[in-house]
Amino acid sequence: MSTKQITARCQLQQTMSSRSSPLAPVLVLLMMLSGCVTYNQRMSSFEQNLSTGNLQPALTDLDKQTNGDKKSAILFDLNRSLILRLQREFDLSNQSLERAKSALQPLLAISLSEQTLASAINDQQRTYLPHGFEQIYIHVFKILNYVALNDLPAARVEVLQMDVTLNRLNEKNPIPAQNAFPRYLSGVVFEMAGEWDQALIAYRKALISFQESQQSPPKFLILDMLRLMDHLGLHAERARLQKRYAVTVWTTQKIYQQQGQLLLLIAEGLAPIREEAAIQAVDPKDGELYRISIPRHQNRLNLTRTPRFQVSQTQYSSDLLANMNSIAEQTLTHQIPAITARAVARVAVKHRVVKESTQEAPILGLIANVATVASERADTRTWASLPSGWWAVKIPLEAGEYQVRPLFASQTQTVPIRISPGDFRLMVYHRLGTNTIFGL
Amino acid sequence: MALGKFRFSIVLISLLSILFLSGCGTVVNRIESEEVVDLSGAWNDTDSRLVSEEMITDALNRPWITDFRSRTGKMPVVIVGDVRNLSHEHINIKTFVNDMERALINSGRVEFVASSTERSQIREERADQDLHARADTRKAMGQEIGADYMLKGTINTIIDQASKKQVRYYQVDLTMISLADNRKVWVGQKKIKKFIKRPTLRY
C-alpha cells in the first residue's frame, strides 16, 4: 500500500469521526480498529535495521511499536529477544522469551470477545498467539541462550518444556519438519549433560521427524545414534540403522569421550513473512463493494549455497536441519480454512451494516461500505526475525587449539577455540543479510 | 421505526463497547504465607513448603542422628551438596533446602557447615582479615569443621497431557551420604501429583 493510500484512508477516518449519525460510532470504531496499515508495513523499518545488522535502531523501532499495539505484545517480546541475543545479552533475551512464554499460556484458550471482533472487523483484533513453530522456537532460543550462559541445568529444563510443547502441538495438525531440529538440539543438550540414554531417545525422535518430513537426516545424527546404540547395548537396533543408511564406520563411545566435539549451527536468513492477499468484488445490483483479505506466504532472503566452515586447515559442509520457509508455509496451509471461514463471516456481518446504513441514508451506506472494506485486513503477523533455515556441522576434534572461520560471507572473522578431551562446544552463527554475520 | 432499523447496529456497538471498556485496575490482597493459591499448576510456594515439611519430619525422626551421636558422642555435621533439578520447570531448589537447613539446625540435633559456593566468600574474608583485622579479632585459617554427611538430591517430574488436561507428577528425593564411607544413612522422598485442566474458552 502506498503512502498516499494510507494517508487517504486515515483522512477518511478523521472525516468519519465528525459525523453525528447513530451509525457513525460503529463506522468510526470499524475504521479505528482496522488500523491504517498492516503489521508488516509498520514493521518495515525494524526489519530493514535488523537485516542490515543495526541492532540498536531495530530495538528502538520495536519499543516504539510496542506501546501502540498491546495485542501484539508477545510478538514484540519475541523480536526483542532475538535482538538482545545478537547483542549477547543472553539473560535479557531469556527474560523476553519467558515473558512471551508466560503470556502465551492463557491465549491457548479461545477468546469469545476476540473471536467476535475478528468475525466483525478483522483478524488483527485477536491477541497474537504465536504459530506452532514459533512456540517451539521460544524454547530453542532459550536453550541456546542458556548454553551460551553455560547454564546446562536450565537448558535441560527448557528441553523438557519443549518436549511438552511439541507433544501438545503434535496432537492436532502435526508438522513433522518442525520437530526435527528441536529434537536434535534436545539430544545435544542431553549429550552435553552426559545423559546418553536420553540423548539417544531425542535423536531417535529427530530421525523419525526427518523421515516423516521426507528430509535427509544429517550424517552426524546417524553416526551419533550408532555410537549411542552400541554404547547402550542396543545392537539389533544399531544393525538395522547401519543397514538402512549404509554406514560402516563410526566412533566408539570411548574414543568419543576422549575427543572434543564442535557443533557449528547456522541460523540463516530471515523467516518468511505473510502478505495480504485481497479479493474485491462489486455487486452489480447496488454497487456495494465486497472485500476478503487473507494472508499469503512470502519467502525472504535465502542462502543459495550450503554454508561451509574452515576449522584450521580443513573445510566442512553443513547439513540442513530445518527449512523454516517450508514449515511456515505448512503452518499457513493448516490455518487457511479457519481464516477463510472468518473472512466469509465478516462479509456477511459487514454487508448487514452497509444495508442498514443505506436504508438510513444512501450517503451513510456509502461511507459504511468504505469503512467495512477499509477494515478488512489480513492478519500478517509473524515472528519475522526468526531465521529461514537452520544448518549444522558436527566436527570431532582432538584436544588442541583451532581456528574457526565461516566461509559463507566475505567479511568474517576467524575465531580461535581450545578443545579439551570430552568438551562439547556449540557455536552459533546468525546470518541476517548477505554480509551480516553474528557469531555467538 | 428508526430504532428498529438500527437494532443490529446498536447490538453491535454495545458489544464492541463492552469488549473495549472492560479494563480493570491492579488489585493486591495480602494473604497468609501458608494459604494455598494455585494459579498455573506449576511448582509454587505450597509445593516447596510441603516438600520441606515432609523432609524435615522424616529426617528428624529417623535413626541416623541418634546412631551417629551414640557412636561418636557428637552432633552430625552436614554439608549441602548438589540438589539437581531434573524437572520440567525452572524450580528454585534453595527455598526448601534452606527451610530444611533451618529446621534441622534449630532442632539442635544437627550442625551445618557452609556449602562449597558459600565458603569461598568466607575464605576470602578470612584471608582479608589476615591482612587488615586486629590480631585479637582475626580468625585463623585451617580451623574449619569437616562435614560428616553430604545432603544430595534430585527433583524429577513426569508430565502426561492430552488436549487441555495435564497430570504433573513431581518426585523429590534427598539423600544423606556419609562422607567417611559413602553409606546412605537417610533417604527422604516426597511425591506431589497435580491434575490441571486448562480452559477451552476465555472472555
Side-chain angles (χ1 to χ4, degrees):
Chain A
M1 183 192 289
S2 71
T3 317
K4 228 176 206 179
Q5 284 171 304
I6 295 165
T7 316
R9 195 162 283 176
C10 289
Q11 280 169 349
L12 179 60
Q13 184 175 312
Q14 284 163 6
T15 312
M16 286 304 305
S17 305
S18 61
R19 292 260 169 194
S20 57
S21 156
L23 260 180
V26 181
L27 301 179
V28 169
L29 198 53
L30 275 172
M31 293 294 286
M32 284 167 61
L33 295 173
S34 70
C36 290
V37 287
T38 62
Y39 172 80
N40 285 337
Q41 286 159 343
R42 282 193 287 130
M43 297 299 284
S44 60
S45 168
F46 163 74
E47 286 180 17
Q48 176 65 27
N49 281 322
L50 179 66
S51 61
T52 49
N54 295 323
L55 301 182
Q56 204 50 46
L59 211 51
T60 310
D61 287 336
L62 272 182
D63 289 338
K64 276 185 210 158
Q65 295 293 340
T66 309
N67 296 330
D69 187 356
K70 288 193 169 57
K71 288 186 188 295
S72 306
I74 288 186
L75 207 41
F76 295 124
D77 266 328
L78 296 179
N79 282 316
R80 190 174 290 113
S81 73
L82 269 185
I83 304 281
L84 290 167
R85 175 177 160 75
L86 295 175
Q87 291 180 323
R88 292 178 171 270
E89 298 281 1
F90 302 115
D91 255 330
L92 292 175
S93 172
N94 272 352
Q95 282 174 28
S96 283
L97 290 165
E98 191 57 43
R99 221 169 20 244
K101 202 202 294 176
S102 306
L104 181 155
Q105 283 303 323
L107 301 179
L108 295 175
I110 297 165
S111 165
L112 295 173
S113 56
E114 289 179 1
Q115 285 292 335
T116 309
L117 284 174
S119 302
I121 301 163
N122 61 39
D123 273 359
Q124 290 185 41
Q125 304 313 314
R126 302 194 307 168
T127 304
Y128 184 73
L129 172 65
H131 306 306
F133 70 94
E134 294 174 346
Q135 292 177 32
I136 297 167
Y137 277 86
I138 293 176
H139 298 293
V140 166
F141 280 108
K142 282 197 81 180
I143 291 166
L144 294 175
N145 284 341
Y146 279 128
V147 171
L149 289 165
N150 208 18
D151 189 349
L152 203 53
R156 190 188 184 282
V157 167
E158 215 56 49
V159 163
L160 298 184
Q161 288 190 7
M162 183 163 72
D163 181 57
V164 173
T165 302
L166 287 166
N167 291 340
R168 171 170 56 77
L169 292 169
N170 288 332
E171 271 183 29
K172 52 180 182 182
N173 296 335
I175 300 173
Q178 74 186 8
N179 301 341
F181 169 55
R183 291 293 189 195
Y184 173 70
L185 185 63
S186 304
V188 167
V189 171
F190 285 127
E191 282 226 61
M192 284 175 160
E195 296 179 49
W196 315 115
D197 49 350
Q198 297 274 31
L200 177 60
I201 292 165
Y203 287 156
R204 268 194 203 126
K205 288 182 178 176
L207 181 62
I208 290 168
S209 301
F210 279 117
Q211 289 167 344
E212 285 179 350
S213 55
Q214 290 163 353
Q215 188 187 335
S216 301
K219 193 174 179 192
F220 54 80
L221 171 64
I222 305 299
L223 294 176
D224 281 335
M225 289 183 71
L226 290 169
R227 167 179 54 82
L228 288 171
M229 284 169 180
D230 252 352
H231 177 60
L232 297 168
L234 302 168
H235 302 299
E237 191 181 353
R238 189 258 295 148
R240 282 197 300 275
L241 188 69
Q242 186 188 352
K243 192 176 167 191
R244 175 163 184 174
Y245 289 96
V247 182
T248 49
V249 182
W250 62 90
T251 312
T252 63
Q253 182 71 12
K254 192 177 171 187
I255 292 172
Y256 182 85
Q257 286 177 267
Q258 287 165 356
Q259 294 173 327
Q261 304 295 322
L262 173 64
L263 178 63
L264 296 164
L265 267 182
I266 307 107
E268 150 60 19
L270 288 169
I273 53 170
R274 288 183 178 187
E275 285 187 336
E276 185 175 84
I279 304 165
Q280 292 187 163
V282 180
D283 187 340
K285 278 190 245 166
D286 54 10
E288 187 181 338
L289 189 61
Y290 294 95
R291 178 184 162 100
I292 287 183
S293 295
I294 55 171
R296 77 169 166 215
H297 181 84
Q298 176 65 45
N299 284 347
R300 290 190 290 173
L301 174 79
N302 288 311
L303 259 189
T304 48
R305 284 184 300 178
T306 303
R308 290 173 61 79
F309 283 91
Q310 185 168 321
V311 178
S312 290
Q313 303 308 315
T314 317
Q315 291 194 5
Y316 298 90
S317 266
S318 56
D319 287 298
L320 181 66
L321 294 184
N323 180 348
M324 304 295 279
N325 290 335
S326 160
I327 292 167
E329 197 165 2
Q330 289 179 61
T331 302
L332 181 58
T333 306
H334 283 306
Q335 293 171 343
I336 277 294
I339 291 172
T340 311
R342 279 194 301 275
V344 171
R346 275 197 299 274
V347 170
V349 171
K350 289 176 177 179
H351 169 69
R352 185 87 188 262
V353 171
V354 173
K355 196 177 161 192
E356 290 194 5
S357 306
T358 309
Q359 282 168 0
E360 168 70 5
I363 184 68
L364 257 186
L366 180 65
I367 293 165
N369 196 193
V370 171
T372 52
V373 167
S375 67
E376 179 58 27
R377 307 311 308 253
D379 187 357
T380 56
R381 293 174 293 180
T382 55
W383 185 359
S385 50
L386 276 178
S388 61
W390 288 89
W391 300 72
V393 53
K394 191 178 178 199
I395 308 163
L397 295 170
E398 298 300 326
E401 291 185 356
Y402 297 88
Q403 304 287 325
V404 179
R405 190 161 78 90
L407 300 174
F408 46 88
S410 56
Q411 297 166 352
T412 52
Q413 287 185 337
T414 301
V415 180
I417 57 162
R418 176 188 283 275
I419 294 286
S420 305
D423 269 1
F424 196 129
R425 184 80 185 266
L426 172 63
M427 292 174 75
V428 187
Y429 284 86
H430 288 256
R431 184 191 184 216
L432 303 174
T434 317
N435 258 326
T436 315
I437 308 284
F438 294 88
L440 305 173
Chain B
M1 277 177 71
L3 269 177
K5 285 184 181 176
F6 291 108
R7 199 173 52 231
F8 178 74
S9 302
I10 288 165
V11 168
L12 186 64
I13 196 168
S14 306
L15 188 62
L16 294 177
S17 305
I18 290 165
L19 297 178
F20 279 91
L21 298 172
S22 57
C24 2
T26 306
V27 178
V28 179
N29 289 316
R30 292 202 185 281
I31 54 173
E32 289 300 317
S33 63
E34 302 211 342
E35 192 173 326
V36 178
V37 182
D38 286 314
L39 297 175
S40 65
W43 180 272
N44 62 14
D45 63 309
T46 306
D47 301 306
S48 180
R49 184 168 48 79
L50 288 174
V51 169
S52 60
E53 281 171 3
E54 171 84 20
M55 295 296 182
I56 291 160
T57 313
D58 199 62
L60 288 173
N61 289 318
R62 299 293 175 182
W64 67 282
I65 302 174
T66 46
D67 284 356
F68 184 85
R69 289 191 78 157
S70 61
R71 201 155 29 87
T72 62
K74 294 188 299 180
M75 280 199 284
V77 178
V78 176
I79 187 167
V80 177
D82 197 11
V83 181
R84 292 185 69 196
N85 176 14
L86 300 176
S87 77
H88 290 68
E89 292 173 45
H90 297 283
I91 291 173
N92 187 348
I93 291 160
K94 283 183 181 165
T95 53
F96 68 81
V97 172
N98 287 350
D99 275 353
M100 229 185 123
E101 202 174 315
R102 181 183 55 81
L104 291 177
I105 291 170
N106 291 347
S107 74
R109 298 169 66 194
V110 179
E111 287 180 336
F112 273 80
V113 289
S115 68
S116 58
T117 44
E118 290 167 329
R119 68 183 174 231
S120 61
Q121 197 187 354
I122 296 166
R123 284 175 185 169
E124 271 174 34
E125 173 60 22
R126 216 178 276 135
D128 190 70
Q129 281 189 7
D130 250 356
L131 204 62
H132 302 290
R134 222 172 53 211
D136 59 322
T137 60
R138 198 174 290 156
K139 305 297 174 291
M141 299 277 192
Q143 298 298 309
E144 291 177 12
I145 294 172
D148 302 303
Y149 297 103
M150 180 178 273
L151 181 70
K152 288 173 70 70
T154 54
I155 300 185
N156 282 283
T157 47
I158 300 170
I159 291 188
D160 185 23
Q161 67 177 10
S163 188
K164 301 282 178 186
K165 294 172 187 165
Q166 192 180 70
V167 173
R168 284 183 188 224
Y169 174 82
Y170 300 87
Q171 183 170 317
V172 183
D173 292 291
L174 291 179
T175 311
M176 201 71 81
I177 301 170
S178 165
L179 286 169
D181 52 15
N182 293 347
R183 274 183 307 122
K184 291 184 178 180
V185 295
W186 171 77
V187 176
Q189 190 175 75
K190 174 70 181 170
K191 297 170 181 174
I192 294 172
K193 195 171 181 178
K194 298 179 185 179
F195 175 68
I196 302 154
K197 195 176 170 192
R198 305 220 179 269
T200 311
L201 298 172
R202 64 191 161 93
Y203 165 71

